[in-house]
Amino acid sequence: MQRASRLRRELALLATEPPPGITCWQHESQAGELRAQILGGVDTPYEKGIFNLEIVVPERYPFEPPKIRFLTPIYHPNIDSAGRICLDVLKLPPKGAWRPSLNISTLLTSIQLLMAEPNPDDPLMADISSEYKYNKQLFLLNAREWTEKHARQ
């Protein structure tokens, strides 16, 4: 019950005051299934890309974080080929930083920030991480190519 009313409030807020470059909506009639789009940030290799994400909100939300993954392939050290995201706010303590005071808008904004500022010291993709650290030009080139190939409408 708590999940449903909280989700309604959050989705209403996301519809009326969405964070810049982020949209989120309910997927079909599934109560705990949402979809989101994040626009690639200006001056990042993801610029002009539109990235689709799947959000599965667990029954215990907000006491448990939603599961969020990229549906659009993205070349990023903290996002693997299955779209899973390595970000502390998506995990429960002690390993993570999820708190019930966080919401879906905050999480999507954090993911948008991670896209602009990868964390190569906590990678899911070791090869992309070392490329980011030691050959940034190649990383930027590859990330732009992937964006062009997978995230342009």
Side-chain angles (χ1 to χ4, degrees):
M1 186 64 221
Q2 186 168 9
R3 173 180 86 158
S5 61
R6 168 116 176 214
L7 266 181
R8 268 195 304 279
R9 277 198 318 272
E10 286 192 37
L11 284 168
L13 194 63
L14 275 161
T16 55
E17 300 172 35
I22 295 174
T23 50
C24 183
W25 63 95
Q26 194 151 6
H27 182 62
E28 292 163 6
S29 60
Q30 306 291 332
E33 267 211 36
L34 310 176
R35 290 290 187 266
Q37 279 187 334
I38 296 180
L39 301 179
V42 177
D43 294 332
T44 74
Y46 311 109
E47 187 171 4
K48 294 191 176 89
I50 298 174
F51 297 87
N52 293 301
L53 293 90
E54 170 188 77
I55 304 167
V56 178
V57 183
E59 286 296 332
R60 294 197 58 243
Y61 183 79
F63 303 105
E64 206 177 286
K67 296 195 176 0
I68 303 178
R69 72 182 188 95
F70 275 78
L71 297 173
T72 305
I74 181 170
Y75 193 84
H76 194 286
N78 308 108
I79 302 161
D80 72 9
S81 53
R84 292 177 303 220
I85 306 161
C86 182
L87 186 62
D88 61 350
V89 291
L90 295 175
K91 295 186 286 246
L92 284 167
K95 285 191 168 32
W98 169 256
R99 296 185 312 281
S101 58
L102 295 172
N103 60 36
I104 290 165
S105 179
T106 317
L107 293 178
L108 291 170
T109 304
S110 299
I111 291 167
Q112 189 181 42
L113 199 63
L114 181 70
M115 286 170 69
E117 293 289 325
N119 178 4
D121 298 323
D122 189 16
L124 271 180
M125 304 296 279
D127 49 340
I128 298 176
S129 174
S130 59
E131 189 179 281
Y132 180 83
K133 278 178 162 172
Y134 306 113
N135 191 348
K136 193 124 178 216
Q137 288 313 109
L138 183 61
F139 165 79
L140 292 170
L141 181 76
N142 285 329
R144 275 190 207 100
E145 274 179 20
W146 274 55
T147 301
E148 191 67 46
K149 185 175 172 187
H150 301 288
R152 292 287 173 89
Q153 297 301 310

